[in-house]
Amino acid sequence: MKKKRVILIAGIIVALLLGGCGAQGTDMDEPDKSQGSDKNATVELTFAWWGNQTRNEMTQEVINLFMENNPNVEIDGQFAEWADYWNKLATASAGHTLPDLVQMDYKYLEQYANNKLLLDLTPYIEDGTIDVSNIDENNLNIGRVGEGIYGICLTVAPPALMYNKNLLDDNGITVKDNMTLEEFYDVCREVYEKTGYKTNINYGSEVYLEYLMRANGEVLFEKGRLGASSPASLEPFFEIYELGLDEGWHLEPSAFAERTLGSIEQDPLVYGTSPDNKSWCSFMWGNQLTAMQNAAPEGMDVAIVTYPSPDPVKSNFLKPSQLFSITVDSKNQDESAKFIDFLVNSVECNEIILCERGIQTNTVVGEAIMPKLGEKDQEAIKYVNEVVIPNSSQVNPAPPEGASEVISLLTKLEERVCYREITAEQAAQELFEQGNAIMGSK
């Protein structure tokens, strides 16, 4: 686990170097519309994204479709696992060699936009190159930083606890939506006692910590400080690991030593050699259900319920799955804008994407692709419409500067708790003190 942690942490830390990476000699406010004016000239674009194998195959198919419809355009698709993606993007930022188009995460949008690495898409929206007429204003504003729009949100997705339905059904174990923490602990204990399978609590991510804090009306990040009122707000998250390891039902950290954190194909729910290094559940996003099912061993049925929480309505939310942005390093910004429009508005394109990236923000497109959806995609949409939307709250604001460094600190503290080097109380205290110091220095 430590080896892979270092990779993840390194990717996040490198992203912190973006502070001095504004592009040179470029007008940051207006797109460069001088490129690609010769319709017969070949336009070469690079497009980078993170994802699992299912997403990679779908995205390449989308690229091929766009190139068929636009014979003068060649797109070089570049993909990576989550941690490697941000490491590479940060390195490219420093050398002003960013791809033309990038898949952008909500948590990094403000950082990249404020460091003048992304293009303001407002002119392309205003002239109709990127048609946003079927996107709700709230979803459009997801990509807004200050007065500009720096990313178009294609889809949204909720947190989702995925689980091995066959395993639980065969052993007479039931799970439900909106479990309390105590109910979740009881399921973890029962699964471990009856099957030997263990639990994996969102290893290597801050998402579940934020989820728990939302139940108390708090956010993880505020401008210049953590949103936690005291270390006590952070302690319950670390206590889950502590309790699970003490009682034996949580995976030992050594189970992650040779795995890439964030990789669906290597997630303990679908990957492992014995119950001792496998998990009955995984803390994921709802749009990843199809990919997780595709990665599952033959015969496994992957199902979803909500994350456990003291207050599900306050905790649950719909998060922007990904945004798509044009970088200031792009030499073909017009064609890049046309590709974003294609992603957002083409029914044929989204019949390929389906719900792998989430639920489409373009309502017309979302309705049009419904007949094409597979069983798991329909299950994910039903989960959003019937479980999440009636019992959820507004998503947290995009994390401000300094959040990446705090997440790196959280990862280290989480690991130290799991290796029993510090207690949950000590981890919460360190995160509160050091996290506030980090945020206050930004």
Side-chain angles (χ1 to χ4, degrees):
M1 172 183 165
K2 285 188 174 180
K3 178 180 177 182
K4 296 303 177 184
R5 286 286 190 176
V6 169
I7 294 174
L8 175 61
I9 293 166
I12 294 172
I13 290 176
V14 171
L16 298 174
L17 301 176
L18 292 171
C21 294
Q24 299 172 345
T26 303
D27 185 341
M28 302 302 174
D29 298 317
E30 293 293 334
D32 177 6
K33 299 200 174 215
S34 64
Q35 303 295 329
S37 57
D38 183 353
K39 293 183 179 180
N40 295 319
T42 299
V43 177
E44 297 181 352
L45 302 177
T46 51
F47 172 36
W49 70 91
W50 72 84
N52 53 70
Q53 190 57 36
T54 298
R55 175 177 300 168
N56 298 338
E57 292 171 359
M58 286 180 172
T59 306
Q60 190 58 56
E61 191 174 347
V62 165
I63 290 173
N64 292 341
L65 177 62
F66 183 82
M67 291 192 297
E68 287 175 14
N69 294 334
N70 299 270
N72 67 313
V73 179
E74 293 183 2
I75 300 179
D76 176 20
Q78 302 173 355
F79 62 88
E81 295 281 3
W82 168 266
D84 287 341
Y85 177 81
W86 294 106
N87 198 343
K88 291 176 181 177
L89 212 61
T91 302
S93 301
H96 302 297
T97 57
L98 283 164
D100 296 273
L101 290 148
V102 293
Q103 182 174 291
M104 180 54 54
D105 189 78
Y106 186 53
K107 73 171 69 174
Y108 296 122
L109 177 68
E110 181 175 329
Q111 179 179 344
Y112 273 75
N114 285 343
N115 283 291
K116 302 187 183 302
L117 295 167
L118 304 179
L119 195 71
D120 181 3
L121 302 179
T122 303
Y124 285 121
I125 293 172
E126 290 178 344
D127 70 13
T129 302
I130 301 177
D131 180 7
V132 297
S133 59
N134 293 318
I135 298 178
D136 179 84
E137 185 174 356
N138 289 331
N139 285 328
L140 181 62
N141 284 336
I142 287 170
R144 186 177 295 279
V145 178
E147 297 300 316
I149 295 177
Y150 293 89
I152 301 296
C153 180
L154 177 67
T155 55
V156 293
L161 181 70
M162 301 188 185
Y163 67 96
N164 184 335
K165 190 174 187 300
N166 309 83
L167 179 72
L168 269 61
D169 287 352
D170 291 346
N171 288 276
I173 304 170
T174 59
V175 293
K176 64 177 185 177
D177 290 307
N178 304 321
M179 285 183 288
T180 66
L181 278 173
E182 288 303 324
E183 289 172 330
F184 177 68
Y185 294 155
D186 287 341
V187 172
C188 294
R189 293 176 184 122
E190 186 177 6
V191 171
Y192 180 57
E193 291 169 1
K194 290 183 176 180
T195 71
Y197 277 71
K198 298 193 176 185
T199 302
N200 173 25
I201 306 291
N202 206 207
Y203 235 90
S205 171
E206 82 287 356
V207 176
Y208 191 40
L209 171 57
E210 288 190 305
Y211 196 88
L212 293 176
M213 291 178 67
R214 285 169 59 88
N216 297 321
E218 295 182 332
V219 297
L220 180 55
F221 299 110
E222 291 184 356
K223 192 72 174 178
R225 63 183 293 271
L226 294 183
S229 57
S230 71
S233 299
L234 306 170
E235 192 171 344
F237 171 74
F238 294 108
E239 286 179 337
I240 300 174
Y241 294 98
E242 197 171 59
L243 178 66
L245 288 163
D246 287 346
E247 295 186 354
W249 49 259
H250 193 280
L251 283 170
E252 292 288 337
S254 57
F256 297 88
E258 299 302 325
R259 304 189 195 201
T260 300
L261 294 178
S263 167
I264 285 180
E265 288 78 14
Q266 295 184 35
D267 190 276
L269 176 61
V270 296
Y271 179 84
T273 56
S274 68
D276 193 55
N277 59 26
K278 297 187 72 173
S279 175
W280 67 273
C281 69
S282 181
F283 284 68
M284 305 295 288
W285 296 99
N287 62 297
Q288 295 173 308
L289 180 60
T290 295
M292 185 66 83
Q293 183 64 65
N294 289 343
E298 185 176 355
M300 179 191 290
D301 182 19
V302 180
I304 55 176
V305 293
T306 58
Y307 288 3
S309 168
D311 190 325
V313 174
K314 287 184 178 179
S315 285
N316 222 350
F317 60 92
L318 283 169
K319 174 189 179 292
S321 302
Q322 308 96 26
L323 300 97
F324 293 93
S325 303
I326 301 173
T327 74
V328 295
D329 295 334
S330 173
K331 299 298 188 295
N332 293 293
Q333 295 169 355
D334 285 4
E335 294 300 331
S336 297
K338 292 176 184 177
F339 184 71
I340 290 179
D341 180 74
F342 175 73
L343 288 172
V344 172
N345 292 297
S346 167
V347 172
E348 192 176 3
C349 164
N350 283 277
E351 284 177 341
I352 297 171
I353 296 172
L354 298 175
C355 291
E356 194 282 325
R357 291 179 177 274
I359 309 302
Q360 276 71 10
T361 56
N362 184 320
T363 54
V364 173
V365 169
E367 184 176 344
I369 67 172
M370 283 294 289
K372 295 282 188 178
L373 296 178
E375 179 183 350
K376 288 302 175 183
D377 285 331
Q378 292 180 18
E379 189 176 331
I381 289 181
K382 182 178 179 181
Y383 172 72
V384 169
N385 292 336
E386 297 183 8
V387 178
V388 179
I389 290 178
N391 299 284
S392 62
S393 303
Q394 181 66 37
V395 65
N396 291 350
E401 293 280 345
S404 298
E405 194 172 344
V406 174
I407 294 170
S408 176
L409 171 63
L410 171 64
T411 301
K412 294 175 184 177
L413 293 171
E414 177 187 332
E415 184 173 75
R416 291 178 65 196
V417 169
C418 291
Y419 276 104
R420 298 170 174 83
E421 295 174 357
I422 57 174
T423 66
E425 182 179 7
Q426 290 170 327
Q429 186 69 39
E430 288 191 36
L431 180 58
F432 184 78
E433 293 176 355
Q434 296 179 37
N436 275 309
I438 292 168
M439 298 300 293
S441 66
K442 300 300 176 182

